[in-house]
């Protein structure tokens, strides 16, 4: 029954697709609206115009000529956001040639930008968005100590420019086992956690020195400019500016607080190291992975450190994740820590809703879980003015469901990204339809 | 004096006997689970039903079943009773948790044909995943060698009863079962060393040659026996003996394979040597040749949703199980632990359910169907009188991801409660051995 409804809805929108342009006005009418910022509105309407949410409420008048999506008996929510994954960077994890997630040449790569590797042609966008995920924070994979700069993307676009919501979104640092195991094999630092911290501190100190040099040069230049103006005609010899250093530029942005710093750390000592680093250099820290974060919940809450947990079903497969537990998110929430979820995957991002359901099953209140996959990641990375809730003025990334989100029996019926109705088919649905027809299966 | 001591002796025997019989009675006291929704897996769902456990077996199940008077009664209103989950494909104990080098015992990657190795010699009965798995309602597991070799070695079926030794956990009387693997993994392992096989052609050639070697080996022994066992017997070769067992049809073959061309090569080899394949494992493209799999009566053990992680998984669809099931194939799910953690096995059923599989069929794919594929459905996989009392009480419908295993019984013995954890290991120092 649900399956049939799904297909019929799909067909309707397939047929409607050519005319469903961003500038169209669309009214999603009569649904149960999970706004995230201002509660639940029963029998509400979301009006979308020019790719943005024009109005949200129980009594929104629908302009004539608007395309109406009947959402009576349905649930309407903002698109889900995965706060950390490899979408656009990895096509087939097992094939290195399709994998641009880790630059193994050096452990220190703050200058790398996910932006430069994103592949808008990735089939993973189609497969992933079919499950209600509209956005992701795409970050380099583990392997290096400083991994590079992540980007916030939407899962629809023909070009990189169309995909990107925010870039750079954060500087990413990995503490613990990953870089030390890779560079130990190459005989390079860091080979220990001591080595990791020493390297990081030195890099940030060098970046501070670079900043100071730039500043000194800048003030010298303005002095000279004043001198030149007063002694007109006498051309002052200008000193060469400090050589542009992309690594230090990226670290400087983090030092200035312009770029949040995602530190992926799992065991208690690694999380403490992340906190020490953030304290010393006044970094805008977002803690991620965080298997043992529940052990430091009070401290994290006190310091108001946002935490990205997940995957929830992560197993203690490595020494540094032995402390992971299913109620990590619930414990952190009870202590007052703001939360988001990540899949840290590429081909399994679409299972994000099930991960959230597990967190709920292990004590996280459902409304908190909803915020953790919508508004919170948008806040953490500073794009909550554009995404993360059903509010006027935000980009129209909206999902219509046949039940409450995250339940196994709930399915995506309709999805909008930037106000455009998405085609929810992909290679998989096409293969399924082909063989179903071939075997005469209903 | 003699008389007195004899009286005393008799008295002591009597007391001891009473004590023992009391202990015995307690050990074997029947357990009755009342009021639950019973998901039998073979004869539908019984609302507000009763299951009687006696002597480690299921004694009775039904709507109105009399309880033995001395039974311990568990009121399970609002709960669901499901048979213990049966995982036909796991590396539990051979890739023990955590995944450090020291725990890597699943692939003997020193030669492509490893028919002589037995997973039981690698199994770590202290794998911390065992209590975690039981907390997810898993009770029976087939432990397989990995897929680095075309012929990986012998399987072992175990019950997760917390036994300290392999003897305690091994499923006695289980059929002979072996792991083979086809496709990317073996050719990558040996191709990267500049050895055969480095192609699918190579995989077939290596395996076929070794099967002919096994035929010759059998012939040599037969000749020696037919010749009245004169002279020294031929030298025993464990690898060829194992392959001779395969050719003789004594072994259930579980073959890791993904694509249609893998399946077809395997069918050709099976036809050439006249043996049967019990099940194609992973088999993400099996839906493409569902009718042929039906015709050959081969089971399929597959992932609910493991698309796209390598090239041979690119055509995977989450309705693979559904299309096969609708076509009449015996389908099971699996974890491939630690690929999917053993504890989370039930999620596999939930995901196929999400993609259209009816509730009961989805649950059968983690209970009775794997039991049939493994040839142990006379023992486990459903709630039927006479079967092992391997049962899980779930706090809600097991297909809801918010439901939890509340009590788990293996062979009638309560081995896990949500409150107290894994009872056989209760009080053991934490270390890796924990359930969170």
């Amino acid at each position: 029954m649900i399956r049939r409804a799904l297909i019929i809805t799909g067909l309707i929108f397939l047929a409607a697709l050519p005319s469903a342009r961003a500038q169209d006005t669309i009214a999603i009418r009569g649904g149960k609206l999970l706004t995230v910022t201002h509660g639940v509105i029963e029998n509400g309407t979301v009006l979308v115009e020019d790719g943005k949410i024009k109005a949200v409420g129980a009594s929104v008048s629908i302009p004539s000529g608007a395309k109406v999506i009947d959402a009576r008996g349905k649930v309407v929510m903002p698109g889900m956001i995965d706060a950390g994954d490899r979408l656009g960077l990895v096509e087939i994890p097992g094939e290195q040639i399709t994998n641009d997630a880790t630059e193994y040449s050096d452990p220190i790569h703050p200058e790398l930008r996910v932006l430069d590797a994103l592949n808008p042609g990735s089939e993973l966008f189609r497969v992933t968005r079919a499950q209600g995920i509209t956005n992701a924070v795409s970050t380099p994979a583990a392997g290096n100590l400083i991994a590079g700069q992540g980007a916030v993307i939407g899962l629809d676009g023909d070009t990189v420019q169309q995909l990107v919501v925010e870039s750079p979104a954060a500087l990413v640092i990995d503490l613990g086992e990953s870089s030390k195991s890779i560079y130990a094999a190459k005989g390079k630092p860091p080979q220990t956690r001591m080595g990791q911290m020493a390297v990081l501190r030195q890099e940030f100190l060098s970046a501070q020195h670079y900043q100071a040099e730039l500043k000194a040069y800048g003030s010298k230049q303005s002095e000279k400019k004043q001198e030149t103006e007063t002694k007109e005609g006498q051309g002052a010899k200008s000193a060469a500016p400090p050589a542009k250093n992309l690594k230090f530029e990226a670290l400087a942005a983090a030092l200035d607080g312009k770029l949040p710093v995602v530190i992926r750390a799992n065991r208690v000592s690694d999380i403490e190291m992340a906190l020490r680093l953030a304290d010393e250099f006044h970094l805008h820290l977002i803690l991620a992975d965080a298997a043992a974060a529940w052990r430091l919940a009070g401290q994290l809450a006190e310091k108001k450190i946002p935490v990205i947990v997940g995957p929830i079903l992560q197993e203690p497969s490595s020494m540094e994740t032995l402390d992971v537990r299913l109620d990590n998110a619930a414990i952190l929430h009870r202590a007052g820590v703001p939360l988001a979820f990540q899949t840290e995957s590429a081909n399994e991002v679409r299972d994000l809703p099930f991960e959230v359901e597990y967190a709920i099953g292990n004590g996280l209140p459902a409304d908190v879980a909803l915020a953790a996959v919508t508004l919170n990641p948008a806040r953490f990375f500073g794009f909550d003015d554009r995404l993360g809730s059903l509010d006027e003025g935000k980009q129209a990334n909206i999902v219509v469901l046949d039940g409450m989100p995250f339940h196994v029996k709930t399915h995506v019926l309709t999805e909008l990204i930037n106000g455009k109705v998405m085609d929810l088919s992909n290679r998989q649905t096409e293969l399924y339809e082909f063989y179903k027809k071939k075997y005469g299966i209903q | 004096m003699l008389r007195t001591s004899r009286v005393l002796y008799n008295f002591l025997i009597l007391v001891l006997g009473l004590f023992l019989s009391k202990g015995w009675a307690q050990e074997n006291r029947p357990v009755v689970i009342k009021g639950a929704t019973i998901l039998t897996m073979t004869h539908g769902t019984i609302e507000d039903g009763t299951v009687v456990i006696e002597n480690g077996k299921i004694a009775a199940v039904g709507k109105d079943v009399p309880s033995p008077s001395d039974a311990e009664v568990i009121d399970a209103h609002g709960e669901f009773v499901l048979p213990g989950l049966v995982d036909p494909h796991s590396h539990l104990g051979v890739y023990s948790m955590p995944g450090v080098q020291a725990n890597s015992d699943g692939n003997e990657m020193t030669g492509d044909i490893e028919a002589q190795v037995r997973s039981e010699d690698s199994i770590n009965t202290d794998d911390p995943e065992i209590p975690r798995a039981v907390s997810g309602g898993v009770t029976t597991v087939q432990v397989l060698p990995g897929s680095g070799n075309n012929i990986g070695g012998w399987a072992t079926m175990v019950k997760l009863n917390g036994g300290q030794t392999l003897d305690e956990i091994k499923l006695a009387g289980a059929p002979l079962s072996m792991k083979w693997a086809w496709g990317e993994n073996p050719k990558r392992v040996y191709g990267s060393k500049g050895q055969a096989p480095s192609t699918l052609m190579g995989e077939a050639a290596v395996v076929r040659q070794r099967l002919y070697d096994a035929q010759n080996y059998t012939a040599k022994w037969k000749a020696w026996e037919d010749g009245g066992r004169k002279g020294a017997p031929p030298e025993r070769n464990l690898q060829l003996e194992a392959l001779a067992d395969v050719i003789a049809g004594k072994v259930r073959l579980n073959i890791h394979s993904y694509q249609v061309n893998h399946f077809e090569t395997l069918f050709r080899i099976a036809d050439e040597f006249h043996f049967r394949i019990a099940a194609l494992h992973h088999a993400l493209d099996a839906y493409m040749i569902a009718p042929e799999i039906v015709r050959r009566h081969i089971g399929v053990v597959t992932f609910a949703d493991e698309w796209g992680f390598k090239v041979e998984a690119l055509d995977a669809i989450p309705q693979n199980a559904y299309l096969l099931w609708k076509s009449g194939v015996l389908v099971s799910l699996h974890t491939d632990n630690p690929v999917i953690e053993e504890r989370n096995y039930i999620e596999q059923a939930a995901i196929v359910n999400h993609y259209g599989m009816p509730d009961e069929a989805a649950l059968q794919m983690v209970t009775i169907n794997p039991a049939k594929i493994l040839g142990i459905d006379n023992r486990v996989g459903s709630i039927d009188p006479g079967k092992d009392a391997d049962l899980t009480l779930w706090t809600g419908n097991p297909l809801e991801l918010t439901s939890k295993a509340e009590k788990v019984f293996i062979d009638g013995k309560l081995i896990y409660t949500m409150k107290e954890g894994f009872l056989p290991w209760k009080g053991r120092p934490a270390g890796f051995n924990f359930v969170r």
Side-chain angles (χ1 to χ4, degrees):
Chain A
M1 193 57 199
I2 288 165
R3 174 168 303 280
R4 181 164 299 167
L6 201 72
I7 291 159
I8 291 167
T9 319
L11 287 175
I12 288 167
F13 287 116
L14 266 178
L17 209 60
S19 62
R21 295 191 194 289
Q23 52 267 48
D24 287 349
T25 301
I26 298 170
I28 304 168
R29 188 177 63 186
K32 180 189 185 98
L33 311 183
L34 311 181
T35 68
V36 185
T37 45
H38 51 286
V40 176
I41 300 169
E42 298 289 347
N43 197 19
T45 294
V46 184
L47 192 65
V48 174
E49 218 174 74
D50 296 330
K52 295 211 162 123
I53 298 173
K54 182 85 193 295
V56 179
S59 49
V60 171
S61 54
I62 298 171
S64 62
K67 180 193 302 295
V68 175
I69 295 170
D70 185 2
R72 280 174 298 180
K74 310 289 190 287
V75 174
V76 183
M77 66 177 279
M80 282 180 264
I81 303 168
D82 182 4
D85 65 27
R86 304 294 96 74
L87 283 178
L89 293 180
V90 177
E91 193 65 20
I92 308 165
E95 290 296 330
Q96 186 51 36
I97 199 95
T98 74
N99 189 331
D100 283 308
T102 307
E103 175 68 36
Y104 287 105
S105 48
D106 190 82
I108 306 297
H109 271 311
E111 77 285 15
L112 298 182
R113 302 181 301 187
V114 159
L115 174 77
D116 298 314
L118 288 171
N119 172 21
S122 173
E123 177 68 11
L124 285 103
F125 293 135
R126 291 156 65 86
V127 168
T128 305
R129 73 188 184 213
Q131 291 292 82
I133 297 133
T134 59
N135 292 85
V137 183
S138 184
T139 53
N144 291 329
L145 184 55
I146 305 184
Q149 303 163 37
V152 179
I153 57 173
L155 306 192
D156 180 51
D158 297 326
T159 62
V160 174
Q161 205 180 356
Q162 287 172 16
L163 286 180
V164 170
V165 174
E166 181 92 24
S167 174
L171 182 72
V172 181
I173 292 175
D174 276 287
L175 299 180
E177 292 173 8
S178 68
S179 66
K180 101 191 172 101
S181 57
I182 285 166
Y183 289 95
K186 297 184 182 187
K188 282 173 87 171
Q191 306 196 4
T192 60
R193 288 174 159 91
M194 303 182 283
Q196 291 182 340
M197 189 56 159
V199 169
L200 284 170
R201 293 184 66 225
Q202 186 58 60
E203 290 295 329
F204 276 109
L205 287 170
S206 299
Q208 275 178 342
H209 182 72
Y210 175 78
Q211 278 182 309
E213 276 185 339
L214 276 180
K215 202 177 161 195
Y217 175 77
S219 46
K220 218 176 256 172
Q221 286 300 98
S222 58
E223 272 171 34
K224 272 185 187 153
K225 205 178 164 200
Q226 277 175 355
E227 278 173 33
T228 317
E229 276 161 9
T230 47
K231 302 175 189 174
E232 210 170 327
Q234 291 178 16
K237 245 190 183 174
S238 60
K244 187 125 175 149
N245 183 316
L246 289 180
K247 288 184 197 264
F248 292 155
E249 293 276 331
L251 294 174
L255 286 166
D256 289 344
K258 287 178 197 154
L259 198 58
V261 181
V262 170
I263 302 187
R264 294 188 290 226
N266 276 307
R267 76 177 204 193
V268 166
S269 75
D270 292 340
I271 296 172
E272 287 191 84
M273 183 158 43
L275 295 174
R276 280 200 297 277
L277 189 73
D279 278 347
E280 182 174 350
F281 295 99
H282 307 288
L283 305 174
H284 171 184
L285 170 65
I286 300 169
L287 185 68
D289 289 15
W294 60 275
R295 286 192 181 275
L296 297 169
Q299 200 182 337
L300 293 166
E302 198 183 311
K303 287 175 177 285
K304 299 190 168 56
I305 307 289
V307 177
I308 300 172
V309 294
I312 296 299
L313 287 182
Q314 180 183 27
E315 57 196 286
S317 54
S318 59
M319 293 303 291
E320 64 188 3
T321 54
L322 288 178
D323 273 343
V324 72
R325 49 190 288 168
L326 288 168
D327 54 359
N328 191 14
I331 295 171
L332 289 167
H333 164 68
R334 283 197 292 272
V337 177
L339 290 172
F341 292 109
Q342 65 177 10
T343 63
E344 280 288 289
S345 179
N347 55 316
E348 290 170 5
V349 177
R350 65 164 158 186
D351 290 338
L352 178 64
F354 303 144
E355 294 275 330
V356 177
E357 181 78 337
Y358 269 106
I360 294 170
N362 287 283
L364 192 69
D367 58 332
V368 176
L370 176 67
V373 277
T374 53
L375 187 64
N376 290 5
R379 278 187 178 154
F380 292 1
F381 293 95
F383 59 98
D384 56 320
D385 55 331
R386 280 156 286 164
L387 286 163
S389 63
L390 298 181
D391 278 300
E392 199 186 316
K394 288 200 181 183
Q395 286 175 22
N397 289 12
I398 302 170
V399 179
V400 182
L401 303 164
D402 60 2
M404 286 301 273
F406 321 127
H407 292 325
V408 158
K409 290 178 195 296
T410 294
H411 299 85
V412 175
L413 302 176
T414 307
E415 182 170 316
L416 273 63
I417 293 183
N418 289 329
K420 192 171 122 191
V421 178
M422 290 291 106
D423 170 9
L424 295 178
S425 73
N426 51 54
R427 181 176 165 72
Q428 294 179 31
T429 60
E430 284 156 13
L431 278 166
Y432 176 47
E433 293 303 327
F434 178 88
Y435 283 95
K436 213 165 60 157
K437 199 171 154 197
K438 183 172 178 177
Y439 300 151
I441 291 170
Q442 285 309 299
Chain B
M1 194 59 198
L2 190 78
R3 180 177 292 265
T4 319
S5 65
R6 168 147 296 184
V7 169
L8 191 65
Y9 178 72
N10 285 342
F11 176 72
L12 281 173
I13 290 291
L14 185 72
V15 169
L16 191 68
L18 278 171
F19 179 77
L20 278 176
S21 70
K22 191 167 187 293
W24 181 248
Q26 266 180 348
E27 179 86 344
N28 282 273
R29 196 177 158 200
V31 174
V32 175
I33 301 167
K34 268 199 162 149
T37 301
I38 300 167
L39 306 162
T40 68
M41 296 296 104
T42 44
H43 53 283
T45 297
I46 304 163
E47 300 289 346
D48 194 8
T50 299
V51 186
V52 180
I53 302 172
E54 241 169 336
N55 299 317
K57 301 278 179 190
I58 296 165
V61 57
K63 185 94 184 147
D64 297 298
V65 178
S67 305
S69 56
D70 57 337
E72 180 196 341
V73 177
I74 295 171
D75 179 4
H77 277 93
E79 296 197 306
F80 288 68
V81 186
L82 187 69
L85 306 185
V86 180
D87 184 357
H89 190 125
S90 172
H91 305 296
L92 190 78
V94 300
Y95 282 107
S96 197
M97 179 184 283
V100 292
Q101 185 55 37
N103 284 338
S104 176
D105 281 310
N107 271 310
E108 179 61 36
M109 288 183 286
T110 49
D112 186 47
I113 308 295
E114 297 292 335
Q116 71 280 11
V117 306
R118 303 182 297 196
S119 59
E120 67 175 32
D121 296 316
S122 277
I123 290 174
N124 170 19
T125 59
D126 285 337
D127 187 344
E129 182 55 38
I130 291 171
R132 292 171 66 91
V134 172
S135 78
V138 183
T139 56
T140 302
V141 167
Q142 171 166 259
V143 179
L144 295 171
S147 53
N149 299 314
N150 276 116
I151 299 186
W154 292 103
T156 312
M157 296 180 209
V158 297
K159 284 210 183 181
L160 306 186
N161 55 20
Q164 182 63 68
T165 61
L166 182 76
D167 280 348
E168 289 169 84
I169 67 170
K170 200 170 159 181
L171 189 66
L176 287 177
S177 182
M178 191 186 281
K179 167 76 178 287
W180 286 22
W182 223 259
E184 288 182 26
N185 291 3
K187 72 178 186 175
R188 185 184 59 246
V189 169
Y190 294 97
S192 66
K193 298 183 192 178
Q195 295 171 14
S198 71
T199 60
L200 292 177
M201 302 183 286
E203 292 188 12
V206 168
V207 168
R208 287 179 62 228
Q209 182 60 57
R210 211 55 186 144
L211 289 169
Y212 279 112
D213 294 346
Q215 277 187 340
N216 287 337
Y217 177 77
T218 307
K220 231 189 264 178
W221 273 92
K222 190 164 182 298
W224 179 73
E225 272 166 17
D226 290 352
R229 300 175 172 245
K230 275 182 208 135
E235 188 184 357
R236 281 187 66 185
N237 181 312
L238 289 178
Q239 186 182 102
L240 295 177
E241 263 176 36
L243 293 178
D245 282 347
V246 171
I247 295 170
K250 294 177 189 164
V251 182
R252 301 177 85 88
L253 282 187
N254 307 269
I255 313 185
H256 158 125
S257 49
Y258 285 92
Q259 296 180 164
V260 171
N261 55 352
H262 306 163
F263 310 146
E264 284 198 82
T265 303
L266 291 164
F267 296 164
R268 278 196 298 275
I269 294 173
D271 290 346
E272 184 176 353
F273 293 92
H274 309 287
F275 59 75
R276 264 202 68 219
I277 295 166
L280 300 170
H281 286 231
H282 309 330
L284 294 177
D285 290 354
Y287 68 95
M288 292 182 181
I289 54 160
E292 178 63 10
I293 293 173
V294 172
R295 195 183 70 75
R296 288 175 172 270
H297 303 288
I298 295 174
V300 170
V301 175
T302 190
F303 290 111
D305 175 18
E306 195 71 10
W307 167 77
F309 66 108
K310 49 182 173 173
V311 169
E312 61 192 5
L314 277 188
D315 283 340
I317 61 173
Q319 297 90 353
N320 182 35
Y322 179 75
L323 288 177
L324 290 165
W325 174 72
K326 283 294 254 184
S327 302
V329 178
L330 182 60
V331 181
S332 169
L333 297 164
H334 68 327
T335 63
D336 201 10
N337 175 75
V339 172
I340 290 163
E341 192 185 346
E342 196 69 64
R343 181 191 64 190
N344 306 330
Y345 187 23
I346 193 72
E347 192 198 17
Q348 293 290 297
I351 293 176
V352 294
N353 186 236
H354 173 80
Y355 288 104
M357 190 78 70
D359 287 19
E360 188 180 44
L363 289 171
Q364 285 170 336
M365 289 177 188
V366 291
T367 54
I368 187 65
N369 293 8
K372 284 179 182 167
I373 284 172
L374 297 178
I376 53 173
D377 54 312
N378 59 327
R379 296 277 303 273
V380 299
S382 67
I383 305 180
D384 283 299
K387 284 203 182 183
D388 297 358
D390 297 354
L391 302 165
T392 301
L393 266 67
W394 290 83
T395 55
N397 183 341
L399 290 169
E400 294 281 348
L401 299 179
T402 47
S403 300
K404 286 189 171 295
E406 200 258 320
K407 285 190 179 71
V408 180
F409 294 86
I410 292 184
D411 292 319
K413 204 169 159 192
L414 182 66
I415 59 149
Y416 171 84
T417 70
M418 207 159 70
K419 217 167 144 188
E420 292 185 279
F422 192 50
L423 301 172
W425 290 11
K426 205 181 163 189
R428 271 183 79 155
F432 297 163
N433 307 326
F434 55 84
V435 186
R436 292 201 203 280

